[in-house]
Amino acid sequence: MSKVKLATVWLDGCSGCHMSFLDMDERILEIAARVEVVYSPLVDLKEFPADVDVTIVEGGVSSEEDLHKIRMVRSRTKLLIALGDCAVTSNVPGMRNTFKVDDVMKRAYFENADLKQQVPCEVIPRLLPRTRPVHEIVPVDVFLPGCPPPADVIFGALVSLLDGTTPDLSATRFGR
Amino acid sequence: MSSRPSAKPAAPAPSSKVKTLTIDDRLVSAREDESILDAARDNGIQIPTLCNLDGLTPVGACRLCMVEVKGSSRLFASCVTMVGEGMEVVTDSERLQKYRKTIVELLFSERNHVCAVCVSNGHCELQNLAQTLGVTHLTVPYRNPKLPVDASHERFVNDHNRCVLCQRCVRVCGEVEGAHTWDINGRGIGARVITDLNQPWGSSETCTGCGKCVQVCPTGALTEKGKSVREMSKRTRFLPYLTMMREDRSE
Ligand code: SF4
Ligand code: SF4
Ligand code: SF4
Ligand code: FES
């Protein structure tokens, strides 16, 4: 039997959800036996491959790059999992949503900067007017709320999905 | 025998003070001045609630406690609907679950709830409801309104970003403390809790600083100063106790 192709992507999040994923400790070997990790911040690969079975997304959609990435990821993925509150609700990255982008930039790069006060105009992708949860941009198949969702829940959900059953999400919630 | 529910206790019938009805196909009896919610709870049937709190007058603000009553297509808020003879009540159905989930979603979308950094994270009734009702994400868009935080009181904070307009603060302050500091100002989506004549809480002349409102607030909207994320757990047990003691004295 060919292995399930699994990818993980990291948008506007703190990497805590990826850490929680790794927190399943040696059980990760059980997962590894059944999947092939084809793309991830943990894998050295530049291009998101075509024909991915399952993609786990951490983080909200904050910038033009995030927007481009999530659309591309969705078009190449069968099952999309929103992992953690930033992906599910926009959470902490969304706390800027009540301010204008200009004011956020001014705050970060002028008021809070001592040296070289300037808004970065190269390399750094431009912010969208608001940070949005993933499912407000592209359809999401499974939601795992929590900041971060507990490792047990992530493990349980992955096993259920690999087995073709519905994951039990009763042990996690917004915030936690 | 009419099974039509009424919003007020039925006029006292001379003979029958006890009504017989079914809740989820179980035959139960209840005092005629009892709400469907209380009758259900007396019989171990749980209905989700948010604005309701033992010891405060029910107001029917949140509508989470809605139930179906056979013979009517309307839904009834069980905390403010009195039992009736022969009533057939359904407390759980696909339709009710859908409405309850939507209510919770709307509460999350109306204000700015960021549970991960909230002082009430882990102790919040809205958060619990989302979990027990299986709200894993919102199907309505977030509004992200710009809302103030009033930290002018010496010991307490009012964060409008977390308020669900349950009116518990209004009721406990008016009914139990007798200060009536709180009110609701505005309507619909623009409704806000206010202190006195819509002035900073710290400048209120009626607030006694008793903290009852803080303890009964189901979310992180009213909190004690100096609490960090996850630190604000509430104590609501005083309320039925206080009411009981007062009833004892008036007897
Ligand atoms: S009040 Fe409750 S639901 Fe709102 S952010 Fe705080 S913990 Fe979350
Ligand atoms: S602390 Fe003030 S506002 Fe709150 S219940 Fe007591 S008197 Fe009312
Ligand atoms: S401040 Fe708290 S108790 Fe008062 S209406 Fe808002 S959520 Fe309810
Ligand atoms: S508990 Fe009945 S309307 Fe809120």
Side-chain angles (χ1 to χ4, degrees):
Chain A
M1 207 179 77
S2 68
K3 286 185 168 183
V4 169
K5 289 191 199 135
L6 176 80
T8 77
V9 291
W10 178 10
L11 306 181
D12 199 358
C14 71
S15 93
C17 291
H18 270 86
M19 294 302 144
S20 191
F21 177 88
L22 296 177
D23 229 14
M24 65 175 77
D25 301 328
E26 74 279 2
R27 285 174 299 176
I28 206 161
L29 298 175
E30 257 175 75
I31 303 285
R34 303 177 67 179
V35 307
E36 181 191 349
V37 180
V38 292
Y39 182 92
S40 170
L42 313 160
V43 172
D44 193 15
L45 202 78
K46 293 274 172 290
E47 274 290 303
F48 191 90
D51 288 330
V52 176
D53 295 311
V54 181
T55 300
I56 299 173
V57 195
E58 165 187 331
V61 182
S62 277
S63 67
E64 284 172 0
E65 188 199 10
D66 296 340
L67 189 63
H68 169 79
K69 215 176 189 173
I70 196 64
R71 285 187 175 142
M72 186 263 299
V73 164
R74 177 70 268 192
S75 71
R76 298 182 184 181
T77 305
K78 289 203 193 84
L79 188 100
L80 192 65
I81 304 177
L83 177 68
D85 280 352
C86 294
V88 175
T89 75
S90 89
N91 200 28
V92 175
M95 286 171 74
R96 72 166 169 94
N97 289 359
T98 59
F99 303 94
K100 291 205 180 75
V101 170
D102 277 353
D103 294 338
V104 173
M105 296 307 251
K106 244 186 248 151
R107 181 80 185 155
Y109 293 105
F110 290 88
E111 288 165 27
N112 286 344
D114 297 328
L115 299 168
K116 276 221 186 170
Q117 297 176 333
Q118 63 170 34
V119 172
C121 51
E122 284 170 51
V123 188
I124 310 278
R126 226 184 333 197
L127 287 182
L128 301 173
R130 296 199 298 164
T131 302
R132 313 272 297 276
V134 174
H135 69 275
E136 285 190 14
I137 310 290
V138 296
V140 167
D141 303 298
V142 179
F143 296 87
L144 295 181
C147 185
D152 288 348
V153 170
I154 304 177
F155 175 74
L158 281 176
V159 170
S160 306
L161 292 168
L162 289 169
D163 291 344
T165 57
T166 311
D168 173 15
L169 304 179
S170 58
T172 191
R173 62 172 167 196
F174 301 135
R176 252 179 80 206
Chain B
M1 258 322 106
S2 158
S3 66
R4 258 197 35 231
S6 63
K8 282 190 220 103
S15 55
S16 79
K17 291 262 194 269
V18 170
K19 304 280 179 194
T20 317
L21 62 156
T22 65
I23 305 181
D24 295 342
D25 291 329
R26 270 175 54 191
L27 198 59
V28 305
S29 50
R31 277 198 336 268
E32 64 178 0
D33 60 350
E34 251 186 303
S35 65
I36 296 175
L37 177 68
D38 287 339
R41 287 189 172 164
D42 286 348
N43 287 279
I45 298 167
Q46 294 308 324
I47 301 173
T49 58
L50 180 59
C51 65
N52 191 263
L53 191 66
D54 246 3
L56 299 180
T57 308
V59 285
C62 76
R63 317 311 283 185
L64 269 159
C65 67
M66 288 177 305
V67 294
E68 292 170 358
V69 176
K70 289 255 169 70
S72 170
S73 56
R74 271 180 62 207
L75 298 172
F76 296 89
S78 62
C79 67
V80 286
T81 308
M82 298 304 138
V83 295
E85 186 61 37
M87 231 180 205
E88 291 173 55
V89 179
V90 175
T91 71
D92 198 12
S93 69
E94 226 169 84
R95 175 173 170 230
L96 288 171
Q97 279 178 21
K98 191 181 133 234
Y99 281 128
R100 287 178 185 145
K101 280 172 95 162
T102 307
I103 290 172
V104 168
E105 288 181 30
L106 288 170
L107 290 174
F108 272 99
S109 76
E110 255 179 32
R111 305 274 170 126
N112 301 301
H113 292 271
V114 191
C115 303
V117 292
C118 179
V119 288
S120 286
N121 187 8
H123 315 285
C124 168
E125 292 184 38
L126 180 61
Q127 199 185 26
N128 288 343
L129 275 167
Q131 187 175 21
T132 48
L133 297 174
V135 177
T136 58
H137 66 286
L138 265 56
T139 57
V140 292
Y142 286 90
R143 291 189 70 250
N144 297 129
K146 187 122 188 75
L147 292 167
V149 176
D150 179 359
S152 60
H153 195 282
E154 221 189 320
R155 287 164 43 223
F156 309 127
V157 183
N158 171 11
D159 183 352
H160 290 274
N161 292 285
R162 313 284 201 245
C163 174
V164 293
L165 295 172
C166 68
Q167 304 175 33
R168 284 189 188 176
C169 53
V170 178
R171 287 175 284 157
V172 82
C173 190
E175 295 173 9
V176 182
E177 179 62 8
H180 200 145
T181 302
W182 293 99
D183 258 309
I184 306 270
N185 185 33
R187 299 179 72 91
I189 205 95
R192 304 273 182 273
V193 289
I194 53 166
T195 34
D196 283 1
L197 300 169
N198 200 2
Q199 65 204 60
W201 194 357
S203 73
S204 163
E205 285 171 19
T206 57
C207 174
T208 63
C210 70
K212 290 185 176 70
C213 52
V214 173
Q215 299 305 331
V216 299
C217 175
T219 69
L222 302 183
T223 57
E224 289 160 5
K225 272 191 177 167
K227 297 283 186 198
S228 178
V229 175
R230 285 182 161 277
E231 288 181 355
M232 187 66 230
S233 60
K234 309 280 178 94
R235 296 177 300 271
T236 55
R237 304 269 317 254
F238 72 91
L239 200 53
Y241 188 69
L242 258 185
T243 331
M244 196 179 73
M245 297 301 279
R246 287 182 184 179
E247 274 165 8
D248 271 2
R249 209 185 294 172
S250 63
E251 261 164 21

